[in-house]
Amino acid sequence: MKTHLDCIPCFLKQTIESARITGADEKLQKKIIDEVCKIIPDFSFEASPPQMAVKIHKIIRELTSNKDPYKKIKQDSQKLALGMYPYLKEQVTKADDALSSAVKIAAIGNVIDLAVNDVATINRKLEDISNHEFAIFDYGQFTNALNNAKTILYLGDNAGEIVLDKLFIETINHNNLYFAVRGAPVINDATIEDAVEDNLDAFCTIISNGTDAPGTLLNQCSEEFMNIYNQADVIIAKGQANFETLNQVDRNIYFLTQIKCSTIAQRYGYCVGDWLMTTMNKLQAYDEVLL
Amino acid sequence: MKTHLDCIPCFLKQTIESARITGADEKLQKKIIDEVCKIIPDFSFEASPPQMAVKIHKIIRELTSNKDPYKKIKQDSQKLALGMYPYLKEQVTKADDALSSAVKIAAIGNVIDLAVNDVATINRKLEDISNHEFAIFDYGQFTNALNNAKTILYLGDNAGEIVLDKLFIETINHNNLYFAVRGAPVINDATIEDAVEDNLDAFCTIISNGTDAPGTLLNQCSEEFMNIYNQADVIIAKGQANFETLNQVDRNIYFLTQIKCSTIAQRYGYCVGDWLMTTMNKLQAYDEVLL
């Protein structure tokens, strides 16, 4: 999706949050914001918001001389999710429909984001999976697609959350499933190191998308990634950044995400906080502004 | 107060809102945002947020070639407030304590802001004045000060809202009260034209502060205004912009405002939405960051 004018204040809000997470003092935080403000006039609104995030987080890493500012948050998120894994696996095992249960748990895994939510909130959400409702849940279409798939590509999102993706992937139980992570640290997105730590390779092939962008910017992804992207019958894209970077490509991608921004919510007639598991052809755009 | 890092996203949010109110197309809205982003690196955080607002609204007026983009909103707000005036005057007349009732009505007048609230919200708030509670209401100290005052200066805020200030000023019933408005149109702030339309001059002397700044930037105010400011025994400052520009001056000003921003709320241990009628020496600052 294209960038909307309302994304600009949000970019700066995220910049401040990230600058604070790095431990930068206020003078350095101000310097980071100034540098981000300077590049906004040259940023094309034809680009998707994660393309701006790439630039913002490059500025933050450079000015703080910290290649992985979210390392501690990622480690804590991983630990938290791994601790929840046995309980959640039990829920899937005893569910009437294990796959449906695993999809929902993977979706809720999106709340394991210690940069945004505290531990109590995350625990409450994860323990309450039986009450979890999706605003749109194209489960029938999805299971049909899975049953006929020769190659599945699963695009991961954050560290920690990917433990719950593993549970979903275990339940899909497909012999040719690729799990893609970012090619380098950006925000709290999962990298190969995180996926290996969680033993995802026991159930799928872990690959890098070859970029340091949050989301999946196809024109920047590696050849290895694109080969698998092109041959996959089913693509599952997790999280809002993957939605923002892939919702206009000509593929029938299954987006599994929570709507976290009012611009996207307004565009498709949903609410901030709603959960979706659907393809783009099921979403009706109500608002043409700049998207 | 000084500008806080968290004010920056808010500046841009307000820029977008104002750009839209002017009717600028999206291309022009983007141009306005770009110009605002360009001046942020040169903006001193020692300055108060309204000093940035002066620059933002100058950019908007220049790029839209519109000297008074909020004219229609101001006119509609005036009409709405004048329509409510007889009902509100009746409430003051029949109140056990007319002055206390009038203070509260003047405070709630702050919601008459058609750039932010719709008519239904405004009507609901104004009709519900009997339930209105202040988080801090230094009424005893205030009435003592009024009783001993030789000269009172009342700093107004928005068009429309000033109709309710008039009701308060009528109730104070002082023979030497000055009501100050902005020297030129900025946002929906009241100017001389609005105050005269509402007949405030029947109960006080209307003066201009001589600037186009939202709030009261003393170093930019006219000599005429400063003479009255210096001789006033009691100063009543309405609205958050007056608070932001005057909360560090060495005068015992009575601030009558709703807290509309989380940074100020956090700073003084109140909540966004709380109403205050107090002087600075009654407010305890909890958070030293950049303010």
Side-chain angles (χ1 to χ4, degrees), chain A residues 61-73:
Chain A
R61 289 193 300 268
E62 284 176 1
L63 290 181
T64 60
S65 304
N66 186 342
K67 285 182 184 171
D68 193 2
Y70 284 72
K71 191 166 186 173
K72 174 77 168 60
I73 283 177

Side-chain angles (χ1 to χ4, degrees), chain A residues 4-10 12-13 16 20 26 29-30 33-35 37-38 40-45 288-290, chain B residues 4-10 12-13 16 20 26 29-30 33-35 37-38 40-45 288-290:
Chain A
H4 191 279
L5 279 171
D6 294 310
C7 300
I8 303 291
C10 200
L12 289 174
K13 204 162 167 273
I16 295 172
R20 286 180 178 147
E26 277 165 3
Q29 289 174 25
K30 170 77 167 72
I33 291 171
D34 288 348
E35 292 305 311
C37 284
K38 283 180 194 168
I40 287 171
D42 296 324
F43 182 70
S44 167
F45 277 48
E288 290 304 319
V289 284
L290 270 179
Chain B
H4 190 280
L5 278 171
D6 294 310
C7 299
I8 304 291
C10 199
L12 290 175
K13 203 160 167 273
I16 295 172
R20 286 181 179 146
E26 277 166 3
Q29 289 173 26
K30 170 78 168 75
I33 292 170
D34 288 348
E35 293 305 312
C37 284
K38 283 181 195 169
I40 287 172
D42 296 323
F43 182 70
S44 167
F45 276 48
E288 290 304 319
V289 285
L290 271 177

